[in-house]
Amino acid sequence: MSYSASTAKPATHFLRIASAASLALTLGGASGLSTPAAAHDAKPTSAKPQGWKYPFSCCSGYDCREVSSAKISEKPEGYVIKGTGEVVAYSDTRLKDSPDGEYHWCSVAGADDSRTICLFVPPRSY
């Protein structure tokens, strides 16, 4: 098989492709694309002045936030998210102990009208 000058690629073409691929891998690694993202931190409170990390299973960096106790209520079936009416049963694995004694709600995409991923609740009073 013979190649004409018009169909042959100059060596610099292949070097540019190799350089571009190398740069993409380098930037991808530097931006964290090659490793899972870490969950973000809860804001510091008097109980946890350094804050604490939301578990990755609950939060992908923007799903969780502290919410006031006025946004959560209790009924015999479990905790009620007042904005959505969703009930998180007391036996539900999405229910977590709050490390700082405050309510924290993790919802899909951090939206106020989406389903609960995790709900961190303060200890119950007796």
Side-chain angles (χ1 to χ4, degrees), residues 59-109:
C59 183
S60 59
Y62 53 86
D63 301 308
C64 299
R65 68 255 180 225
E66 184 177 333
V67 294
S68 75
S69 59
K71 295 192 177 205
I72 309 291
S73 65
E74 285 189 69
K75 62 186 207 177
E77 296 83 13
Y79 290 93
V80 179
I81 311 298
K82 289 185 178 177
T84 65
E86 180 183 12
V87 177
V88 181
Y90 294 115
S91 61
D92 196 311
T93 59
R94 298 175 297 166
L95 203 59
K96 312 288 184 197
D97 291 330
S98 175
D100 63 2
E102 303 294 332
Y103 286 98
H104 296 261
W105 183 39
C106 306
S107 60
V108 175

Side-chain angles (χ1 to χ4, degrees), residues 6-25:
S6 63
T7 60
K9 302 277 185 192
T12 55
H13 174 76
F14 294 107
L15 287 175
R16 279 187 289 212
I17 291 172
S19 294
S22 176
L23 178 62
L25 287 173

Side-chain angles (χ1 to χ4, degrees), residues 38-42 50-56 59 99 120:
H40 74 283
D41 295 343
Q50 303 302 315
W52 53 279
K53 288 196 178 301
Y54 294 113
F56 187 73
C59 183
F120 293 86

